[in-house]
């Protein structure tokens, strides 16, 4: 599939994602109305407002809204000072950068996925899920790029800068889960039209043993983060890491955000059965990653390192979503309180920075393993 045919659906999806997020942010103003608390409940309205605030042009605190862009350390927006106009300008610049970056990050990834994973001949669902996961990555990167302007707009850029960066990156993920899914559909549906007449779109021929070994290698690297680094003792050591002073001090929150896919401890003083049950979502994550990496080489039109790397990132994000949804269902079954649904779903979309880090590593390792094993198999058959 040529880049020209793949570019149209990628551009449509990127514009649709940016428009959806802008609409969601603009809708946050409706939660400030007096009737919203009566209709939704005070807790639900505040939770939804917290989800939408990172995509809103209205600065936190300007209308009695929230206490910052998911930032518990930087305080509220600086309103009522002589420099309020400058702060407001910085905040608006941050949001403009955020929406522009969402589009800029989404389009290249969607372009690569649509080109290497065209949504025809059994690939449609795989393409939809992959583009959905990449939408979450694009939104996270957009929050990361715009974070310095947003923090400066709050007037606390010199106070615990790295923890504030980590907090800003972590905010606004819940609404992105829904928006990215809709944007993925808006990408895949036009791609099914543009791909027609593109010529043969063969599946890559990969030996089953090579695909299984590559999936195992990639999943083992994901397990390094999920099992080794996420263990309570190791995670605490990462949290307490300190190698610099000034603006670069306190890097622990940022390191945990980009390195840890979960968090767990041993069954100290609790039931072993309950502990094993709590580990089921982690097992589901690894199972989804292994299954996706096992099938990915055979779905691609051509196995390349960039395609495998982006595919592994998408597989890790999908594994995270599966584990988080399973954890939500488990917690809902235990509590049985539908009124707490928004707070239960607050976990959705978290962990994407670490999924990007380890997904890239796992994808490159899987691609190298595929290349080595395939070449060795070919030489053995020729001999």
């Amino acid at each position: 599939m040529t880049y020209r045919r793949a570019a149209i659906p990628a551009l449509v999806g990127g514009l649709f994602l940016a428009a959806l997020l802008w609409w969601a942010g603009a809708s946050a103003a409706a939660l400030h109305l007096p009737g919203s608390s009566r209709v939704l409940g005070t807790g639900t309205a505040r939770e939804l407002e917290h989800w939408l605030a990172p995509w809103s042009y209205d600065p936190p605190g300007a209308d009695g809204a929230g206490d910052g862009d998911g930032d518990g350390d930087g305080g509220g927006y600086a309103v009522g000072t002589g420099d309020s106009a400058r702060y407001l300008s910085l905040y608006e610049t941050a949001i403009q950068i955020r929406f522009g970056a969402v589009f800029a990050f989404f389009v290249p990834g969607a372009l690569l996925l649509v080109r290497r994973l065209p949504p025809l001949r059994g690939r449609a669902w795989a393409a939809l899920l992959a583009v959905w996961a990449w939408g979450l990555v694009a939104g996270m990167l957009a929050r990361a790029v715009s974070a310095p302007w947003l923090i400066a707009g709050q007037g606390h850029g010199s106070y615990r800068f790295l923890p504030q960066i980590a907090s800003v990156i972590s905010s606004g993920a819940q609404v992105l889960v829904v928006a990215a899914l809709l944007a993925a559909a808006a990408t895949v549906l036009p791609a099914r039209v543009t791909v027609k007449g593109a010529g043969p779109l063969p599946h890559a021929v990969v030996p089953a043993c090579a695909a299984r070994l590559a999936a195992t290698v990639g999943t083992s690297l994901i397990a390094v983060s999920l099992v080794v680094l996420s263990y309570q003792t190791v995670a605490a050591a990462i949290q307490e890491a300190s190698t610099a002073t000034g603006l670069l001090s306190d890097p622990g929150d940022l390191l945990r955000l980009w390195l840890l896919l979960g968090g767990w401890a041993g069954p100290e003083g609790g039931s072993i059965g309950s502990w094993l049950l709590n580990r089921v979502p982690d097992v589901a994550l690894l199972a989804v990653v292994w299954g996706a990496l096992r099938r990915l080489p055979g779905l691609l039109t051509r196995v390349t390192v960039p395609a495998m790397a982006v595919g592994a990132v998408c597989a890790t994000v999908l594994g995270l979503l599966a584990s988080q949804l399973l954890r939500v269902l488990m917690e809902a079954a235990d509590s049985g309180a539908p009124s707490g649904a928004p707070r239960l779903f607050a976990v959705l979309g978290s962990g994407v920075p670490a999924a990007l880090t380890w997904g890239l590593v796992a994808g490159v390792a899987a691609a190298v393993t595929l290349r080595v094993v395939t070449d060795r198999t070919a030489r053995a058959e020729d001999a």
Side-chain angles (χ1 to χ4, degrees):
M1 187 177 183
T2 62
Y3 280 108
R4 181 175 59 85
R5 291 180 178 271
I8 296 174
L11 290 171
V12 170
L15 290 172
F16 194 65
L17 178 60
L20 281 174
L21 292 174
W22 175 85
W23 174 77
S27 301
L31 297 173
H32 303 162
L33 299 175
S36 62
S37 298
R38 293 194 298 268
V39 174
L40 300 174
T42 303
T44 300
R46 287 180 179 176
E47 192 72 21
L48 292 176
E49 184 180 338
H50 183 70
W51 293 2
L52 298 177
W55 306 100
S56 174
Y57 271 92
D58 294 330
D63 296 318
D67 55 357
D69 190 14
D71 178 19
D73 297 313
Y77 179 75
V79 177
T81 68
D83 293 331
S84 59
R86 296 181 181 178
Y87 285 125
L88 178 60
S89 177
L90 280 172
Y91 186 88
E92 291 177 348
T93 299
I95 300 301
Q96 291 168 1
I97 291 173
R98 181 166 293 189
F99 285 122
V102 164
F103 177 82
F105 283 119
F106 179 85
V107 171
L111 179 65
L112 177 63
L113 290 170
V114 170
R115 187 167 183 260
R116 295 297 180 201
L117 198 63
L120 286 179
R121 301 180 183 177
R123 297 184 176 112
W125 281 105
L128 178 66
L129 293 174
V131 176
W132 178 28
W134 183 253
L136 293 176
V137 175
M140 181 275 299
L141 291 174
R143 297 196 303 272
V145 168
S146 62
W149 283 268
L150 193 96
I151 294 171
Q154 292 176 343
H156 297 277
S158 61
Y159 176 73
R160 301 196 69 206
F161 184 70
L162 294 185
Q164 288 188 82
I165 289 281
S167 182
V168 170
I169 295 174
S170 301
S171 63
Q174 300 84 4
V175 65
L176 189 61
V177 173
V178 179
L181 179 58
L182 296 176
T187 303
V188 171
L189 290 177
R192 290 179 64 88
V193 177
T194 59
V195 75
K196 294 179 180 179
L201 299 171
H203 292 261
V205 179
V206 179
C209 61
R212 286 194 295 267
L213 181 59
T216 303
V217 170
T219 306
S220 65
L221 291 173
I222 301 298
V224 170
S225 172
L226 186 64
V227 178
V228 179
L229 298 184
S230 295
Y231 181 60
Q232 187 178 48
T233 304
V234 181
I238 296 174
Q239 177 69 50
E240 296 170 359
S242 179
T243 58
T245 58
L247 286 178
L248 301 181
S249 62
D250 298 327
D253 290 340
L254 199 60
L255 289 174
R256 289 189 61 167
L257 186 68
W258 288 92
L259 294 178
L260 272 60
L261 283 167
W264 65 281
E268 299 176 0
S271 169
I272 186 65
S274 299
W275 182 83
L276 290 175
L277 184 63
N278 289 330
R279 302 279 68 79
V280 170
D282 297 336
V283 176
L285 191 160
L286 294 176
V288 170
V289 170
W290 190 91
L293 291 180
R294 167 65 181 83
R295 293 198 59 193
L296 180 62
L299 292 173
L300 297 173
T301 57
R302 181 185 174 192
V303 178
T304 62
V305 173
M308 286 295 296
V310 173
V313 170
C314 295
T316 309
V317 173
L318 291 173
L320 270 175
L321 289 175
S323 67
Q324 291 163 2
L325 184 58
L326 182 57
R327 198 174 296 278
V328 165
L329 294 176
M330 293 169 58
E331 292 180 1
D334 289 339
S335 63
S339 60
R343 188 166 297 276
L344 285 176
F345 284 98
V347 70
L348 290 181
S350 62
V352 175
L356 175 62
T357 300
W358 292 99
L360 289 174
V361 175
V364 172
V368 172
T369 302
L370 273 175
R371 182 70 58 83
V372 171
V373 175
T374 302
D375 291 346
R376 186 175 298 174
T377 302
R379 287 195 301 268
E381 291 177 352
D382 294 337

